[in-house]
């Protein structure tokens, strides 16, 4: 049963990350409405007590907080601003929008300005971590926004994020900026490991030796999930899809332009996607680059 002292919440976007995040909201006693473009992903939450809405507008009606966990800036824009079915069609003045999507700081600032024109508040609060920490409620959260809006958002952010790692890093857009910095290091480190593996093969080193060298290198902490893919000989279930990594590297390049390593990693992603690996786990990129998959 929901707690009537808590704000009523809508959660929009129930993919691999969004579904476990929304489940924390439901488990904490919030009155929760959910929406997903593919309705069947919302049904498990509906069976457990959430209200399943047909449109973002219906999910947002009468809610004090709307949470977004979507894939791209375009998806966020459509869900918020579609004149008939978007959040702004029904959201009451003063509603807080928490955007946990990774869309970049420029899009976050533009969206905040548009929402402000409708008397709606906005916090960009992307998360760092994969499905397991989302399920455990131990994600890291980078938030950007007005401090008062952040304090409104904090109780929810602390449901899917480790409360000690839920940080207001600055005004609107800075949360999204921080997430891009983190994902740039992820993409370039995966590509660097791929090239190291390939170099070891070209130089005819034993694979076990190459593996031990990478494990002892500055990139050693990033190697275990790549090693698991190598050992299995096939892509593992995707915690973070290669196509989403490419999208995030695109955002980095759009924001900063002259990022040579990022551009190279982005092109490696694009080649892997053209070969049909866009839905594989992003770490499979290293194994593909090395010719080991």
């Amino acid at each position: 049963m929901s707690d009537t002292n808590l704000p009523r919440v809508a959660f929009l976007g129930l993919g691999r990350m969004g579904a476990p995040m929304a489940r924390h909201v439901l488990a904490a006693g919030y009155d929760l409405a959910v929406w997903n473009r593919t309705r069947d992903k919302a049904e498990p939450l509906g069976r457990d007590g959430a209200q399943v809405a047909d449109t973002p507008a219906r999910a947002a009606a009468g809610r004090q907080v709307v949470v977004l966990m979507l894939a791209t800036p375009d998806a966020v824009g459509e869900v918020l601003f579609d004149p008939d079915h978007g959040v702004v069609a029904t959201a009451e003045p003063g509603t807080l929008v928490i955007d946990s999507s990774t869309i970049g700081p420029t899009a976050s600032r533009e969206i905040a300005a548009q929402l402000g024109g409708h008397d709606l508040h906005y916090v960009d609060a992307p998360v760092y971590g994969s499905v397991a920490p989302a399920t455990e409620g131990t994600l890291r959260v980078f938030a950007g926004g007005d401090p008062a809006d952040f304090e409104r958002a904090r109780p929810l952010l602390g449901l899917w994020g480790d409360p000690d790692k839920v940080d207001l890093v600055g005004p609107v857009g800075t949360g999204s900026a921080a997430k891009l910095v983190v994902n740039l290091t992820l993409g370039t480190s995966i590509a660097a490991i791929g090239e190291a593996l390939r170099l070891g093969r070209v130089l005819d080193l034993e694979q076990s030796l190459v593996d031990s060298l990478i494990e002892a290198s500055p990139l050693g902490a990033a190697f275990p999930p790549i090693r698991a893919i190598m050992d299995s000989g096939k892509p593992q279930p995707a915690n973070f899809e290669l196509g989403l990594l490419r999208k995030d590297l695109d955002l980095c390049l759009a924001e900063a332009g002259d990022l040579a390593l990022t551009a190279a990693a982005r092109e490696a992603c694009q080649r892997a996607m053209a070969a049909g690996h866009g839905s594989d786990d992003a770490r499979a990129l290293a194994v593909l680059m090395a010719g080991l998959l």
Side-chain angles (χ1 to χ4, degrees):
M1 181 175 292
S2 60
D3 185 339
T4 57
N5 294 316
L6 296 172
R8 302 178 75 210
V9 177
F11 202 108
L12 313 179
L14 302 169
R16 289 186 179 90
M17 297 291 287
M21 290 165 64
R23 189 162 291 282
H24 288 300
V25 179
L26 189 62
Y30 287 80
D31 184 326
L32 179 66
V34 296
W35 171 87
N36 192 72
R37 195 176 303 276
T38 305
R39 185 184 174 95
D40 62 356
K41 292 185 178 180
E43 296 296 349
L45 284 159
R47 289 192 291 271
D48 289 337
Q51 301 165 50
V52 179
D54 292 331
T55 67
R58 290 182 179 176
R63 303 283 152 174
Q64 287 79 51
V65 183
V66 176
V67 184
L68 309 179
M69 189 61 175
L70 303 167
T72 67
D74 287 345
V76 171
E78 180 183 354
V79 164
L80 289 175
F81 301 114
D82 181 278
D84 298 316
H85 303 300
V87 168
V88 297
T90 60
E92 298 174 356
T95 297
L96 174 65
V97 175
I98 301 172
D99 189 1
S100 290
S101 317
T102 301
I103 60 172
T106 296
S108 292
R109 288 190 290 265
E110 291 173 350
I111 286 167
Q114 288 180 267
L115 289 174
H118 295 272
D119 197 17
L120 304 179
H121 299 251
Y122 179 83
V123 170
D124 57 302
V127 300
Y128 179 61
S130 59
V131 175
T135 303
E136 296 160 0
T138 57
L139 293 163
R140 182 168 185 181
V141 181
F142 305 105
D146 181 90
D149 292 336
F150 172 69
E151 289 305 320
R152 286 180 64 191
R154 189 200 290 270
L156 283 164
L157 299 177
L159 295 177
W160 54 78
D162 180 334
D164 292 331
K165 296 180 181 179
V166 175
D167 298 313
L168 179 65
V169 297
V172 166
T174 55
S176 296
K179 178 62 184 297
L180 288 191
V181 170
V182 170
N183 277 16
L184 181 153
T185 67
L186 173 64
T188 54
S189 65
I190 290 171
I193 290 172
E195 290 208 338
L197 290 167
R198 184 170 183 82
L199 179 62
R201 290 190 69 202
V202 170
L203 298 177
D204 293 324
L205 294 178
E206 291 289 336
Q207 189 62 55
S208 59
L209 173 59
V210 175
D211 293 351
S212 68
L213 293 171
I214 295 173
E215 287 168 349
S217 79
L219 294 172
F223 189 52
I226 294 170
R227 176 74 178 270
I229 295 172
M230 293 166 57
D231 291 344
S232 70
K234 59 183 179 181
Q236 300 298 292
N239 284 318
F240 180 46
E241 291 184 2
L242 179 61
L244 292 176
L245 176 61
R246 195 286 307 273
K247 179 265 297 182
D248 291 351
L249 297 179
D250 283 342
L251 290 172
C252 294
L253 293 166
E255 295 287 349
D258 186 17
L259 299 170
L261 294 178
T262 303
R266 187 264 178 207
E267 290 306 311
C269 289
Q270 187 62 33
R271 290 192 297 272
M273 291 175 65
H277 295 280
S279 297
D280 292 348
D281 189 87
R283 291 163 183 83
L285 176 64
V287 191
L288 291 162
M289 291 175 66
L292 295 170
L293 188 64

